[in-house]
C-alpha cells in the first residue's frame, strides 16, 4: 500500500485542505497542537471508519459544523483506490453517513460497514475484524498513536499475551481449550445426572406394591370427609347472611367518619390560613409604619413639580446662553484689539500679521469639527442609555404592580410566600430608585454634552468669522487706501463689544447656579416622596384585604365546627355495631377456616389418589428407560476421557509451537532495534517467555519506569518495530507491509538518540514511511517534508 493524497473537510482544525504524499520517507512537521495527529486520525478514519473508544465522530467533526468528511487516495496491488467517508451532526450526536469507494475508476456507494469490509479485503486483513472496534493489525504494523505506543509495555502479562494472540489470530486455540473444558465439564455433569436417574430402580419396584395398598386406604377416607364437608357448609351460609346485615350498617358508619375527617381537615386548613395571614398582617403593619415615618421625616413639599421643572430648564438655558455670550464677546474683543494694536505699528505689517494669525487659528477647524462629531455621538449614546433606564424603571414598576395581586406562582402553581413577595417588591423599589438616580446622572451628563456641543458650534462659528476676516485681510492688503476706514470701523466694533461685555458682567450668575442646584434637589425629593406615598397606599389596601379575608375565615371556621359536632353525634349512635360485626366476622372466619381445611384435605386426598394411579402406570415405563440411560452413561464417559486427556493438550501444543516461533524472531528484532537506538554497554534488553521486556542496567534487572524518558521511548519504539516485522512475516496475506507511520517516535530523545534515527530509517527500508514530529532536526533524515501550521484554530499545509 502507498498513500497518495488525503483531503480533509471540517475535520478538527482543518476546514478544507488536501495533503499530498510521495513514496519514500516523509516528515509531518509542525508545532505541538498544529494538527499533525489529525492527519493520521483522518487516514485511519478513511480506512476503518469510527472506532468506539478511540476515534469518535464528536472528536473528528469540527466544532460548529454540521457535516464533514475525508477522501483518501492510495494504491495497492497495482490498483488505484479512492475511499471517501462522511460525517453529519444530528441533534447532539455525530454519526457516519454513507460513503463510496472507487477502484480503478469504478465507483461503488457503500454503507460504513460495507466500506470497512472492502478495505479489510483489499488490505488482506481477516474478516473477523469487521465487527470489532479497531484493527489490531493496522495499529501494530502501520500506525500506533503516540499515547498507545508504550501502553502494551505497561499491561499485565495476561493482557499482553491476549493482545498478541489476537494479533496473530491464535487466540482461537485458547477459545477452543476453554470451550472443550466447558464441554467436558458438561459431560461430567451429564453423567452425574444420568447416574442419579438409574440409582433408584429397585426402590421403584417395591414402591409399586405400596402404592396399591395406599390407593384403597385413601378412597375410604375420602367418603368420610365428604359428609363432614356438607354439614359445615350449611352452618357457614347461615352466618354469612347475618354478617351482610352488619356490613350495611358499617358502611354507613364509615361514610360518617369520612365526612368527619374531611370536616376536621378543612377546619385545620382554615385555622392555618388564619395564622398565616395574621403574620402577613404584621408585616404589612410594619411596612405602613415604616412608610409613614419616612414621610413624616421628609416633611411637606408644597412646590409644584411641573413648575419646578420649567424653572430649572429656563435657568439652565439662561446660564448656558450667558456663558456662551461672554466667551464670544471676550474672543471678539481680543481679536479686534490685536488687529487694532498691529495697525498702529505698520499698516502693511499689521495686515500680514493678522492674516497669519487667522490662518493659524483656522488650522484648528478640523480638530474642533471632529470633537463636535464625537460629542454628538456621546449625546446619542446618552439618549439611548436614558431610554434604556426609563424602560428598566417601567418594567420594575410593572413587576411591583403585578406582585401586589399575585397569590399563586404561574409556573409551579404553588402559593407565593408573603416574605418572598416583600423581598421582590423591595428589590424592585430599589431598582426604581437606582434607575431614577442614574437617570438624573445621565440627564446631567446629557446637559453637559449639549453645553460642549454648543461651545464647539460657537467655536466653529468664530472660525467661520475668521475665514471671513481672512478674506477681508487679503482684500485689505490689496487696498491699503481703505485702511483708515477699516481702523475707524474696528475701533467702533471694539467700543460696542465693551458695552455688551459690561452689561453681561453685571448679571449675577451665582443666583442662577444656586437656583438650579436647589430645584434639582427638590425634584429628587418629590420623586422619592411620590414613590413612598404610592407604596403606603398599596400597603393600606393590602391590609384591608387581609382584614376582610380574616372575617370570612372566622365565619367558615364557625360553620365547620358545627358540622363536625353534628357528625360526631351520629357516629356515637353506632357505638356497638363495630364490636358485633367483628364478633360475627370472627365466627365466619373460624367456620371458613374449618371448611377450607376440609376442602383442602378432600382435594389433597383426591390428588393423592390420582398421583398414586399415575405412578403405578409409569413404573414399568421408567424401568425400561433407565436401561437405555445406562448405555448412554458408557458413551459419555469415553467421550469425556478423550477430550480431557488428548484433545486439550493437543491445542496447547499447537499454540505453544506458534508462540515459540514468534518469540524467537520477536526477541532478536527487539534487541536489534534497541541496540541501534541505544549505543551503550550499560543498558541491554530481551523478552521473557510472556513477551515482557526485561531491561538490564549494569548487569542488574530494572523496571522500565526507572528509565529516562528517552530510554523508555527507545524500548517502546524497538518493541513496536520488532512487532511490526514479526506480524508482517507471520501473516502472509497482509498487503500493508511496505508502509509505516510513526507518531512522535522521538519523544524525550537526546541529541545523540535523534542522530541514531537516521540509521533506524535506513534499516527499515520501507516503500513509504510517514513520521510525525515537531523536532526540526528530523528534516535532514527524510526525503520529503510536509509542513503544517495553525492560525486562529485553522490548520493548513504549507506548499
Amino acid at each position: 500500500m502507498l498513500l497518495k493524497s488525503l483531503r480533509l473537510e471540517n475535520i478538527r482544525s482543518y476546514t478544507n485542505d488536501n495533503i499530498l504524499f510521495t513514496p519514500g520517507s516523509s516528515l509531518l512537521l509542525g508545532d505541538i497542537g498544529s494538527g499533525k495527529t489529525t492527519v493520521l486520525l483522518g487516514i485511519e478514519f478513511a480506512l476503518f471508519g469510527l472506532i468506539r473508544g478511540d476515534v469518535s465522530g464528536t472528536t473528528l467533526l469540527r466544532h460548529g459544523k454540521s457535516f464533514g468528511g475525508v477522501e483518501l487516495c492510495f494504491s495497492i496491488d497495482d490498483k488505484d483506490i479512492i475511499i471517501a467517508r462522511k460525517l453529519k451532526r444530528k441533534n447532539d450526536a455525530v454519526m457516519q453517513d454513507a460513503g463510496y469507494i472507487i477502484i480503478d475508476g469504478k465507483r461503488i456507494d457503500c454503507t460504513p460497514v460495507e466500506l470497512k469490509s472492502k478495505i479489510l479485503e483489499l488490505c488482506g486483513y481477516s474478516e473477523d475484524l469487521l465487527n470489532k472496534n479497531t484493527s489490531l493489525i493496522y495499529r501494530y504494523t502501520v500506525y500506533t498513536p503516540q499515547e498507545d505506543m508504550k501502553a502494551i509495555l505497561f499491561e499485565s502479562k495476561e493482557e499482553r499475551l491476549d493482545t498478541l494472540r489476537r494479533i496473530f489470530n491464535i487466540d482461537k486455540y485458547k477459545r477452543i481449550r476453554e470451550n472443550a473444558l466447558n464441554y467436558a465439564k458438561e459431560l461430567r455433569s451429564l453423567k452425574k445426572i444420568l447416574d442419579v436417574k438409574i440409582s433408584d430402580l429397585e426402590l421403584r419396584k417395591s414402591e409399586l406394591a405400596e402404592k396399591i395398598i395406599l390407593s384403597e386406604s385413601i378412597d375410604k377416607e375420602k367418603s368420610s370427609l365428604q359428609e363432614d364437608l356438607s354439614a359445615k357448609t350449611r352452618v357457614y351460609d347461615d352466618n354469612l347472611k347475618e354478617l351482610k346485615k352488619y356490613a350495611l350498617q358499617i358502611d354507613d358508619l364509615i361514610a360518617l367518619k369520612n365526612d368527619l375527617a374531611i370536616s376536621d381537615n378543612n377546619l385545620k386548613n382554615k385555622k392555618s390560613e388564619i395564622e398565616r395571614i395574621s403574620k402577613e398582617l404584621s408585616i404589612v403593619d410594619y411596612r405602613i409604619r415604616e412608610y409613614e415615618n419616612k414621610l413624616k421625616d421628609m416633611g411637606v413639599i408644597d412646590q409644584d413639580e411641573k413648575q419646578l421643572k420649567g424653572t430649572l430648564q429656563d435657568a439652565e438655558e439662561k446660564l448656558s446662553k450667558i456663558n456662551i455670550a461672554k466667551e464670544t464677546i471676550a474672543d471678539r474683543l481680543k481679536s479686534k484689539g490685536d488687529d487694532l494694536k498691529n495697525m498702529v505699528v505698520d499698516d502693511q505689517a499689521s495686515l500680514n500679521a493678522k492674516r497669519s494669525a487667522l490662518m493659524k487659528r483656522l488650522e484648528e477647524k478640523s480638530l474642533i469639527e471632529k470633537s463636535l462629531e464625537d460629542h454628538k455621538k456621546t449625546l446619542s449614546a446618552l439618549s439611548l442609555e436614558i431610554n434604556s433606564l426609563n424602560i428598566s424603571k417601567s418594567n420594575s414598576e410593572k413587576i411591583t404592580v403585578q406582585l401586589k395581586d399575585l397569590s399563586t406562582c404561574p409556573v409551579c402553581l404553588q402559593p407565593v410566600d408573603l416574605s418572598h413577595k416583600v423581598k421582590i417588591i423591595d428589590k424592585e423599589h430599589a431598582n426604581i430608585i437606582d434607575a431614577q438616580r442614574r437617570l438624573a446622572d445621565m440627564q446631567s451628563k446629557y446637559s453637559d454634552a449639549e453645553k460642549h456641543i454648543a461651545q464647539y458650534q460657537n467655536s466653529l462659528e468664530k472660525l467661520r468669522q475668521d475665514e471671513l476676516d481672512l478674506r477681508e485681510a487679503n482684500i485689505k492688503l490689496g487696498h491699503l487706501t481703505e485702511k483708515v476706514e477699516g481702523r475707524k470701523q474696528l475701533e467702533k466694533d471694539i467700543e460696542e463689544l465693551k458695552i455688551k461685555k459690561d452689561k453681561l458682567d453685571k448679571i449675577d450668575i451665582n443666583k442662577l447656579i444656586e437656583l438650579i442646584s436647589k430645584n434639582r434637589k427638590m425634584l429628587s425629593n418629590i420623586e422619592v416622596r411620590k414613590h413612598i406615598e404610592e407604596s403606603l397606599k398599596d400597603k393600606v389596601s393590602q391590609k384591608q384585604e387581609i382584614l376582610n379575608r380574616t372575617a370570612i375565615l372566622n365565619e367558615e371556621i364557625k360553620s365547620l365546627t358545627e358540622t363536625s359536632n353534628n357528625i360526631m353525634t351520629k357516629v356515637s349512635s353506632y357505638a356497638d355495631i363495630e364490636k358485633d360485626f367483628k364478633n360475627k366476622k370472627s365466627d365466619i372466619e373460624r367456620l371458613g377456616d374449618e371448611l377450607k381445611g376440609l376442602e383442602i384435605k378432600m382435594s389433597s386426598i383426591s390428588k393423592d389418589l390420582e398421583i398414586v394411579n399415575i405412578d403405578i402406570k409409569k413404573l414399568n415405563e421408567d424401568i425400561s428407560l433407565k436401561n437405555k440411560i445406562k448405555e448412554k452413561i458408557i458413551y459419555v464417559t469415553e467421550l469425556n476421557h478423550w477430550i480431557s486427556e488428548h484433545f486439550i493438550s493437543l491445542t496447547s501444543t499447537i499454540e505453544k509451537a506458534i508462540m515459540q516461533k514468534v518469540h524467537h524472531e520477536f526477541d532478536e528484532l527487539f534487541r536489534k532495534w534497541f541496540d541501534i537506538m541505544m549505543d551503550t554497554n550499560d543498558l541491554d534488553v530481551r523478552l521473557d517467555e510472556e513477551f515482557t521486556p526485561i531491561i538490564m542496567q549494569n548487569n542488574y534487572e530494572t523496571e522500565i519506569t526507572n528509565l529516562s524518558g528517552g530510554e523508555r521511548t527507545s524500548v517502546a519504539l524497538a518493541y513496536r518495530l520488532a512487532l511490526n516485522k514479526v506480524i508482517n512475516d507471520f501473516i502472509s496475506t497482509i498487503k500493508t507491509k511496505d508502509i509505516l507511520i510513526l507518531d512522535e517516535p522521538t519523544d524525550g530523545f537526546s541529541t545523540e538518540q535523534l542522530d541514531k534515527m537516521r540509521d533506524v530509517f535506513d534499516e527499515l527500508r520501507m516503500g513509504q514511511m510517514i513520521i510525525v514530529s515537531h523536532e526540526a532536526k528530523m528534516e535532514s533524515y527524510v526525503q520529503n517534508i510536509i509542513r503544517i501550521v495553525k492560525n486562529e484554530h485553522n490548520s493548513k499545509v504549507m506548499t
Side-chain angles (χ1 to χ4, degrees):
M1 172 189 279
L2 290 177
L3 303 181
K4 294 183 178 180
S5 67
L6 174 68
R7 186 174 66 84
L8 301 172
E9 182 180 6
N10 293 331
I11 299 297
R12 296 179 70 162
S13 58
Y14 291 87
T15 54
N16 195 342
D17 213 346
N18 193 49
I19 303 154
L20 301 178
F21 300 101
T22 59
S25 57
S26 298
L27 176 65
L28 280 175
L29 185 64
D31 294 335
I32 295 173
S34 61
K36 304 185 296 298
T37 301
T38 300
V39 176
L40 308 186
L41 292 175
I43 295 171
E44 186 174 28
F45 170 62
L47 292 172
F48 302 106
L50 296 180
I51 301 173
R52 188 166 63 253
D54 262 330
V55 182
S56 66
T58 306
T59 303
L60 287 176
L61 186 60
R62 186 178 178 90
H63 293 309
K65 298 297 180 181
S66 58
F67 69 92
V70 299
E71 184 179 87
L72 179 66
C73 180
F74 62 96
S75 64
I76 191 168
D77 282 347
D78 297 326
K79 296 178 182 178
D80 290 327
I81 299 167
I82 299 174
I83 183 169
R85 289 184 184 267
K86 300 176 183 178
L87 293 171
K88 64 180 180 180
R89 192 184 304 277
K90 188 173 183 181
N91 297 329
D92 294 332
V94 177
M95 58 187 68
Q96 293 188 76
D97 205 354
Y100 61 83
I101 186 169
I102 302 175
I103 303 176
D104 288 337
K106 183 178 179 182
R107 171 168 171 159
I108 305 172
D109 293 320
C110 302
T111 65
V113 175
E114 290 170 343
L115 285 175
K116 186 175 182 180
S117 178
K118 292 281 186 185
I119 289 298
L120 292 176
E121 180 183 352
L122 289 169
C123 294
Y125 294 169
S126 171
E127 284 291 334
D128 294 341
L129 300 172
L130 183 60
N131 294 322
K132 296 185 178 180
N133 290 340
T134 186
S135 173
L136 288 174
I137 296 177
Y138 178 82
R139 277 291 176 94
Y140 286 102
T141 60
V142 179
Y143 162 58
T144 304
Q146 179 188 11
E147 61 272 14
D148 294 345
M149 191 166 72
K150 300 174 185 176
I152 194 171
L153 302 180
F154 293 97
E155 291 177 340
S156 66
K157 65 179 182 180
E158 290 80 8
E159 292 175 327
R160 188 182 302 107
L161 286 173
D162 284 341
T163 300
L164 293 173
R165 286 189 182 101
R166 292 198 303 273
I167 292 172
F168 294 105
N169 198 25
I170 57 176
D171 55 333
K172 59 186 176 183
Y173 294 109
K174 182 180 179 182
R175 291 196 301 272
I176 291 172
R177 282 197 304 276
E178 291 172 350
N179 292 336
L181 287 170
N182 290 333
Y183 184 58
K185 183 178 179 181
E186 291 296 325
L187 289 175
R188 290 192 294 273
S189 299
L190 178 61
K191 181 180 179 299
K192 292 178 181 179
I193 294 170
L194 295 176
D195 286 338
V196 171
K197 288 183 178 181
I198 65 171
S199 63
D200 59 348
L201 182 58
E202 294 301 323
L203 181 63
R204 294 285 180 160
K205 291 179 180 179
S206 61
E207 184 181 348
L208 179 59
E210 295 176 359
K211 293 290 181 181
I212 294 171
I213 297 170
L214 181 61
S215 177
E216 295 173 353
S217 174
I218 292 172
D219 192 48
K220 291 179 181 180
E221 187 179 356
K222 181 179 178 183
S223 298
S224 176
L225 278 173
Q226 186 63 49
E227 295 176 1
D228 293 341
L229 184 60
S230 298
K232 288 285 184 184
T233 301
R234 288 191 295 272
V235 175
Y236 180 82
D237 291 341
D238 293 339
N239 280 274
L240 189 61
K241 291 178 182 178
E242 295 180 13
L243 182 66
K244 288 180 179 179
K245 295 179 181 178
Y246 287 123
L248 293 175
Q249 294 177 342
I250 289 293
D251 290 341
D252 294 339
L253 178 60
I254 291 172
L256 286 172
K257 288 184 175 180
N258 288 338
D259 292 341
L260 180 61
I262 293 170
S263 179
D264 289 343
N265 186 57
N266 290 336
L267 186 61
K268 181 180 178 182
N269 291 338
K270 298 297 180 183
K271 289 180 178 179
S272 297
E273 188 173 357
I274 284 286
E275 293 178 1
R276 180 182 63 77
I277 62 176
S278 295
K279 294 178 182 178
E280 184 177 347
L281 182 61
S282 298
I283 295 173
V284 171
D285 284 336
Y286 171 77
R287 289 297 186 194
I288 290 172
R289 291 193 300 273
E290 183 182 26
Y291 291 148
E292 289 174 344
N293 290 334
K294 286 182 179 179
L295 289 174
K296 184 177 179 182
D297 293 341
M298 292 181 68
V300 179
I301 300 176
D302 53 1
Q303 288 85 353
D304 181 63
E305 182 180 3
K306 185 175 181 181
Q307 183 180 359
L308 283 172
K309 287 182 178 179
T311 303
L312 176 62
Q313 184 177 359
D314 293 342
E316 288 176 341
E317 291 178 355
K318 186 175 182 181
L319 180 62
S320 176
K321 289 178 180 178
I322 291 171
N323 288 333
I324 292 171
K326 283 184 176 182
E327 291 175 2
T328 302
I329 291 173
D331 291 339
R332 296 290 292 163
L333 275 173
K334 185 177 183 300
S335 175
K336 297 289 183 181
D338 291 342
D339 292 343
L340 184 62
K341 183 179 179 181
N342 292 333
M343 278 185 180
V344 175
V345 178
D346 185 68
D347 290 339
Q348 182 72 34
S350 174
L351 286 172
N352 286 329
K354 179 180 179 181
R355 182 174 178 276
S356 298
L358 289 170
M359 291 178 67
K360 185 174 181 180
R361 286 202 299 272
L362 286 170
E363 289 175 357
E364 299 176 358
K365 183 180 179 183
S366 59
L367 293 175
I368 294 173
E369 288 176 339
K370 184 177 183 304
S371 297
L372 177 62
E373 185 64 28
D374 290 343
H375 275 77
K376 285 181 178 180
K377 290 179 180 178
T378 301
L379 193 68
S380 177
L382 286 170
S383 178
L384 291 175
E385 182 68 19
I386 288 170
N387 290 336
S388 176
L389 286 171
N390 281 324
I391 292 170
S392 175
K393 177 172 170 283
S394 176
N395 289 337
S396 295
E397 290 171 346
K398 288 179 181 178
I399 291 171
T400 303
V401 171
Q402 291 170 355
L403 278 174
K404 289 175 183 177
D405 300 324
L406 186 67
S407 60
T408 303
C409 177
V411 178
C412 64
L413 303 179
Q414 296 295 319
V416 178
D417 185 63
L418 175 63
S419 60
H420 182 60
K421 285 175 62 175
V422 171
K423 186 183 295 183
I424 294 176
I425 290 172
D426 288 348
K427 178 183 176 184
E428 295 303 326
H429 284 167
N431 290 340
I432 292 169
I433 293 172
D434 181 63
Q436 291 171 340
R437 179 187 58 76
R438 293 175 63 190
L439 275 170
D441 183 52
M442 290 294 108
Q443 288 167 348
S444 176
K445 291 180 179 179
Y446 189 93
S447 177
D448 292 339
E450 285 182 324
K451 292 176 183 177
H452 283 100
I453 289 172
Q455 291 174 358
Y456 285 128
Q457 288 173 340
N458 184 54
S459 298
L460 285 174
E461 186 62 32
K462 292 177 183 178
L463 289 174
R464 293 189 190 99
Q465 184 63 43
D466 288 342
E467 288 176 340
L468 294 175
D469 291 344
L470 180 60
R471 285 196 290 270
E472 182 183 350
N474 290 331
I475 293 171
K476 285 182 180 180
L477 284 171
H479 304 85
L480 289 176
T481 55
E482 301 174 2
K483 177 182 174 184
V484 176
E485 291 296 328
R487 179 182 179 85
K488 291 179 179 179
Q489 183 63 40
L490 193 61
E491 289 173 345
K492 182 180 178 181
D493 292 342
I494 290 172
E495 189 62 29
E496 291 176 352
L497 287 171
K498 285 182 178 179
I499 294 170
K500 292 179 180 178
K501 182 176 181 298
D502 290 340
K503 290 180 179 180
L504 288 173
D505 289 341
K506 292 177 181 179
I507 298 174
D508 188 2
I509 63 172
N510 290 327
K511 291 182 178 180
L512 282 174
I513 294 172
E514 183 180 350
L515 178 62
I516 290 170
S517 176
K518 179 181 178 181
N519 285 354
R520 283 180 178 174
K521 184 176 180 181
M522 291 176 69
L523 283 171
S524 176
N525 289 338
I526 289 172
E527 288 295 328
V528 173
R529 184 178 183 84
K530 283 170 65 178
H531 169 69
I532 294 174
E533 287 173 345
E534 182 66 25
S535 299
L536 178 60
K537 181 180 178 182
D538 291 339
K539 291 301 177 184
V540 170
S541 175
Q542 184 180 357
K543 178 179 179 180
Q544 187 58 47
E545 290 176 1
I546 293 171
L547 292 174
N548 294 338
R549 178 60 180 161
T550 302
I552 293 171
L553 286 172
N554 286 327
E555 288 297 323
E556 291 176 349
I557 289 171
K558 181 180 179 181
S559 176
L560 287 169
T561 302
E562 292 177 357
T563 301
S564 296
N565 292 334
N566 293 334
I567 294 172
M568 289 179 67
T569 302
K570 293 179 181 180
V571 169
S572 62
S573 65
Y574 289 90
D576 298 328
I577 191 65
E578 289 182 329
K579 181 179 179 182
D580 295 340
F581 178 79
K582 289 179 180 179
N583 292 334
K584 183 57 66 178
K585 187 177 181 181
S586 177
D587 292 340
I588 289 177
E589 288 175 352
R590 177 181 54 78
L591 288 170
D593 291 340
E594 292 175 359
L595 188 61
K596 187 176 180 180
L598 291 172
E599 289 174 345
I600 292 171
K601 191 172 183 181
M602 176 63 75
S603 176
S604 177
I605 289 172
S606 300
K607 189 68 176 176
D608 289 344
L609 185 60
E610 182 182 354
I611 291 172
V612 168
N613 291 331
I614 292 172
D615 288 344
I616 291 171
K617 181 180 178 181
K618 289 184 176 180
L619 278 172
N620 288 326
E621 296 175 358
D622 194 26
I623 292 170
S624 176
L625 180 62
K626 290 181 185 299
N627 287 329
K628 293 180 181 179
I629 292 174
K630 188 174 183 180
E631 294 175 0
K632 189 174 182 180
I633 289 173
I634 296 172
Y635 170 76
V636 169
T637 303
E638 291 175 351
L639 181 59
N640 176 58
H641 177 75
W642 180 81
I643 291 174
S644 302
E645 300 298 327
H646 301 288
F647 180 72
I648 293 175
S649 60
L650 177 62
T651 58
S652 298
T653 301
I654 295 172
E655 180 185 2
K656 187 174 181 181
I658 295 172
M659 292 298 281
Q660 285 177 344
K661 180 180 178 182
V662 171
H663 181 276
H664 177 72
E665 183 178 356
F666 199 163
D667 184 56
E668 287 185 353
L669 290 169
F670 180 46
R671 294 170 186 253
K672 169 188 170 183
W673 289 119
F674 186 78
D675 289 342
I676 292 175
M677 286 182 278
M678 297 293 297
D679 187 12
T680 175
N681 295 324
D682 298 334
L683 206 60
D684 195 14
V685 297
R686 61 181 175 83
L687 294 179
D688 65 6
E689 292 181 355
E690 284 83 20
F691 293 85
T692 302
I694 304 299
I695 296 99
M696 303 297 293
Q697 191 171 34
N698 295 324
N699 297 322
Y700 290 98
E701 185 175 334
T702 185
E703 295 291 332
I704 191 171
T705 53
N706 295 330
L707 301 179
S708 67
E711 291 169 342
R712 284 198 299 270
T713 301
S714 297
V715 173
L717 184 58
Y719 199 94
R720 158 98 163 79
L721 295 175
L723 183 57
N724 169 278
K725 185 67 169 62
V726 173
I727 295 172
N728 285 331
D729 291 346
F730 189 84
I731 305 176
S732 60
T733 60
I734 293 178
K735 296 178 183 178
T736 55
K737 299 179 180 181
D738 50 355
I739 182 172
L740 180 64
I741 299 174
L742 298 175
D743 185 10
E744 297 287 358
T746 60
D747 182 33
F749 270 22
S750 63
T751 303
E752 292 76 9
Q753 286 179 290
L754 284 173
D755 292 336
K756 293 292 183 181
M757 290 305 295
R758 188 194 302 274
D759 299 332
V760 172
F761 296 157
D762 293 341
E763 185 70 22
L764 284 170
R765 295 191 291 276
M766 285 287 176
Q768 188 177 47
M769 183 165 56
I770 299 172
I771 302 103
V772 172
S773 178
H774 60 275
E775 295 283 356
K777 191 172 185 179
M778 297 285 285
E779 293 184 35
S780 61
Y781 301 162
V782 297
Q783 298 167 320
N784 307 297
I785 298 173
I786 302 173
R787 298 183 186 276
I788 298 176
V789 296
K790 188 174 184 181
N791 185 24
E792 295 182 353
H793 307 292
N794 190 12
S795 297
K796 284 286 184 184
V797 176
M798 301 298 293
T799 56

